Amino acid sequence: MVELIEFNQIFIQVTHKYSILSENAKEHHTSKFSSEELIVRRGQAFTITFNGTERPEQNLIFIAETGPKPSKTTKTLATFDISSTASKEGWSAVLQSTSSNSVSISISSPHNAVIGRYRLSVQSGSSSPAVLGTFVLLFNPWSSGDDVFMPNKAECEEYVLEEFGMIFAGNKNRISGFGWNFGQFQGDTLNICLSILDRSLYYRQDPVTDVSHRHDPKYLGRVLSAMVNANDDQGVVLGNWSGKYEGGKNPSSWTGSGEILQSWKKSGFKPVKYGQCWVFAAVLTTVLRCLGIPTRTITNFSSAHDADGNLRVDEYYDADGNHLEKGADSVWNFHVWNESWFTRNDLGPSYSGWQILDATPQEPSGGIYQCGPASRYAIKEGEVDLDYDVTFVFAEVNADSMYWNYDSATGKKTLIFSKSTEIGTSISTKAVGRDDRVDVTSDYKYEEGSAKERDIFKKARKKLGLEDKFDPTAPKLEEIEQKPDISGKFKVAGSLEVGKDLNLLLVLENLQSDAKTVNVNMTAWSTLYTRKRVNQIWKDSMSVTLAPKEEKQFPIKIKYPEYQQQLTTDKTIQVTALCHVEDGIQVLVKRNITLDDPAIDIQVLGEAKVNKEVVVEVAFTNPIDAEVKDCVLQVEGSDLLQGILELR
């Protein structure tokens, strides 16, 4: 972009040549952006070149401004002249080189500058300022003075520059992963991300104050956790956990953030239908990486939703072993949120590092659906009295599970058992530089069931004023778990694939020295990944006698035609067995099962070369004994395809 400006009888050409843009982009790690606009990172110098008939470096004053009402008070306006050295505290301009008809000037911004789109002007003497153009200023994780500074270069590459990633799903017994195209540098994603900020409730209520706070990753992360979901503010993605997705796309059909962000923009900023937790987390990853905040997705298996904030989740079952939709608490097979890397000057250095942000609308925080940033260190140490939403995230990974038998006729509930080791397992993220899974559970809590973990749990309850309330680990309380007479578990006997029969074994063991008669009520339901029941698939009952210390196995077969029409797109089934022991207490045996999709085999035919077409063969084998119609193959890849390829 070349612009000819006349002021005070001086003619200046502000040259944004490709070489200048390219040089700045390389130095600022912004080369992947497909934009002709200058995109740089704060706290680091960038170069502009003047071509003119006179020496424009004399008596020049530069003006950098952003936001609707720029001012020095809000640090959205800076004026600075040419100096001999760059300032460490504010904006500055330093003469780099001169020739007979050109001069290069290095402009530096402070490490804590407000990020966003700036307008750069220049003024000579008493003349009116002349606009040179615009540039976008981003966070700088490569700069040691920035709040988002990440000293590990490989992690910077992964959590800021990597456009493709893996998200983990399934359940704690069967973890699977799928690819996601974050595409934070593609098309006009940066412009869309800036539009998200300008459409937030915070901006609408007080645009001047909102923009002035955009130097702070803590503030920006919280704003974006609210804006990525559509609740409250007509944000980017509308959530839907009904299992019915008319009028939009099934959440499981998305493969990248680009299509979602583009759809939001093209619709006039109407919420995109539909999303679930991994979609919200993936889109938030895209936006935060685009703005320069190191971010990754985290999957928590057996994730608690503690609606009442008492650090326990209550689940209710009827006499037949059916899970009852009673109470607001729930446990999801998995839940995906984000970790972003930045300092916590509000809490102290111990709490800096990875911060949890969650764009999935679960519970309001501060009156709107937003979550975080919650310090991961605070969660591990049970510091649930700290900002923001530490209590909620602590419960997601470390709540106690309470299982109740509920009699709807009498309203009586009986504790079946409690367990402190079920919530928050196999907490997972993608490895740096590889598609492997890394388990980060130990970063969220001490070893499950250890004395240290229980001490932290009690500490958290005490901070919330719950130390005198029900605690399953305290033997003095009335509601106490009794030791059962028998134990039980479901074992998988065979493959877990869509299209195949489901073969299980119910294993029951008598723990006592006398025989036990057990009446067993069994059910199987298709569920969403949130464990919400959708359709009953199968039920059965039996009466068995177990000799002293005897273990027996009972085979269970659920044929594919039985579950074929009942299965949700989440492909999850919950099997339960409620065991009524004569003259003993009830025992609940349950297992959540996720079925695998049939495999798609991809092979590259021939040698793949840069800027050359390549032929790829995709093979799919129908696993069922029926014709499959109206199939769609969807292919997406950053810098490999223009948009999304669909083959029908």
Side-chain angles (χ1 to χ4, degrees), residues 484-489 506-520 542-554 579-582 585 587 589:
D485 296 313
I486 69 167
S487 68
K489 61 183 177 181
L506 173 61
V507 182
L508 298 178
E509 181 182 3
N510 184 0
L511 304 176
Q512 304 301 323
S513 300
D514 55 325
K516 295 294 178 183
T517 300
V518 185
N519 297 309
V520 184
M542 61 182 179
S543 180
V544 300
T545 299
L546 298 175
K549 304 295 184 178
E550 181 184 19
E551 178 182 289
K552 282 187 177 180
Q553 296 185 351
F554 304 94
C579 305
H580 301 269
V581 183
E582 291 187 5
I585 65 171
V587 172
V589 185

Side-chain angles (χ1 to χ4, degrees), residues 250-280:
N250 185 320
S252 62
S253 67
W254 301 110
T255 55
S257 303
E259 184 183 5
I260 294 171
L261 292 169
Q262 289 291 340
S263 297
W264 183 67
K265 177 188 174 183
K266 290 176 181 177
S267 68
F269 305 108
K270 294 179 181 178
V272 178
K273 303 176 181 178
Y274 295 103
Q276 291 175 358
C277 69
W278 66 91
V279 180
F280 292 110

Side-chain angles (χ1 to χ4, degrees), residues 313-559:
V313 285
D314 298 302
E315 293 192 38
Y316 297 89
Y317 294 82
D318 65 17
D320 293 328
N322 292 309
H323 183 271
L324 301 175
E325 301 296 333
K326 177 179 171 56
D329 290 350
S330 62
V331 179
W332 296 12
N333 285 343
F334 69 92
H335 178 47
V336 187
W337 59 66
N338 297 93
E339 284 182 354
S340 290
W341 180 274
F342 49 85
T343 60
R344 289 299 297 269
N345 298 321
D346 57 324
L347 301 180
S350 296
Y351 300 95
S352 296
W354 288 117
Q355 312 293 320
I356 286 78
L357 293 163
D358 193 346
T360 301
Q362 295 186 87
E363 295 292 330
S365 172
I368 63 176
Y369 283 94
Q370 58 190 349
C371 184
S375 165
R376 194 180 69 182
Y377 177 80
I379 292 161
K380 183 170 183 176
E381 297 300 324
E383 304 288 353
V384 294
D385 52 338
L386 299 180
D387 290 338
Y388 298 89
D389 306 306
V390 176
T391 300
F392 186 77
V393 182
F394 180 90
E396 286 184 300
V397 300
N398 211 18
D400 279 357
S401 298
M402 317 299 296
Y403 298 93
W404 304 88
N405 179 228
Y406 180 75
D407 188 332
S408 58
T410 64
K412 180 183 178 181
K413 66 176 186 178
T414 304
L415 182 65
I416 304 173
F417 72 98
S418 66
K419 203 164 186 179
S420 64
T421 59
E422 285 202 339
I423 299 300
T425 65
S426 303
I427 304 175
S428 305
T429 193
K430 176 188 174 296
V432 174
R434 311 187 315 275
D435 287 341
D436 299 334
R437 183 181 74 88
V438 175
D439 192 304
V440 295
T441 307
S442 61
D443 294 323
Y444 278 83
K445 56 184 176 181
Y446 292 93
E447 184 179 358
E448 195 70 270
S450 67
K452 179 69 172 178
E453 182 269 330
R454 284 289 89 189
D455 287 344
I456 293 294
F457 183 81
K458 292 173 183 177
K459 169 186 173 182
R461 288 181 61 82
K462 185 174 182 179
K463 282 180 173 288
L464 297 174
L466 299 171
E467 66 270 27
D468 295 327
K469 305 290 177 66
F470 174 76
D471 181 352
T473 65
K476 62 182 179 180
L477 297 176
E478 294 179 3
E479 291 182 302
I480 184 66
E481 177 189 2
Q482 297 173 268
K483 290 185 178 180
D485 296 313
I486 69 167
S487 68
K489 61 183 177 181
F490 283 109
K491 292 176 65 175
V492 174
S495 62
L496 295 175
E497 297 179 28
V498 174
K500 303 287 181 64
D501 294 343
L502 179 59
N503 291 288
L504 304 171
L505 292 173
L506 173 61
V507 182
L508 298 178
E509 181 182 3
N510 184 0
L511 304 176
Q512 304 301 323
S513 300
D514 55 325
K516 295 294 178 183
T517 300
V518 185
N519 297 309
V520 184
N521 293 328
M522 297 174 289
T523 62
W525 285 75
S526 65
T527 65
L528 303 177
Y529 80 100
T530 60
R531 297 189 185 173
K532 180 181 178 182
R533 296 184 307 156
V534 178
N535 299 304
Q536 187 176 66
I537 293 172
W538 166 88
K539 66 181 299 185
D540 199 0
S541 61
M542 61 182 179
S543 180
V544 300
T545 299
L546 298 175
K549 304 295 184 178
E550 181 184 19
E551 178 182 289
K552 282 187 177 180
Q553 296 185 351
F554 304 94
I556 296 170
K557 179 188 286 288
I558 303 175
K559 295 184 177 180

Side-chain angles (χ1 to χ4, degrees), residues 72-88:
K72 291 185 178 181
T73 303
T74 59
K75 296 184 178 181
T76 54
L77 170 67
T79 60
F80 49 98
D81 54 15
I82 296 178
S83 57
S84 58
T85 58
S87 170
K88 293 183 179 180

Side-chain angles (χ1 to χ4, degrees), residues 170-175 301 425-426 496 590-593:
N171 63 58
K172 64 181 181 181
N173 299 311
R174 197 172 182 84
I175 297 173
F301 292 92
T425 65
S426 303
L496 295 175
K590 67 186 183 74
R591 179 152 183 167
N592 293 285
I593 295 167

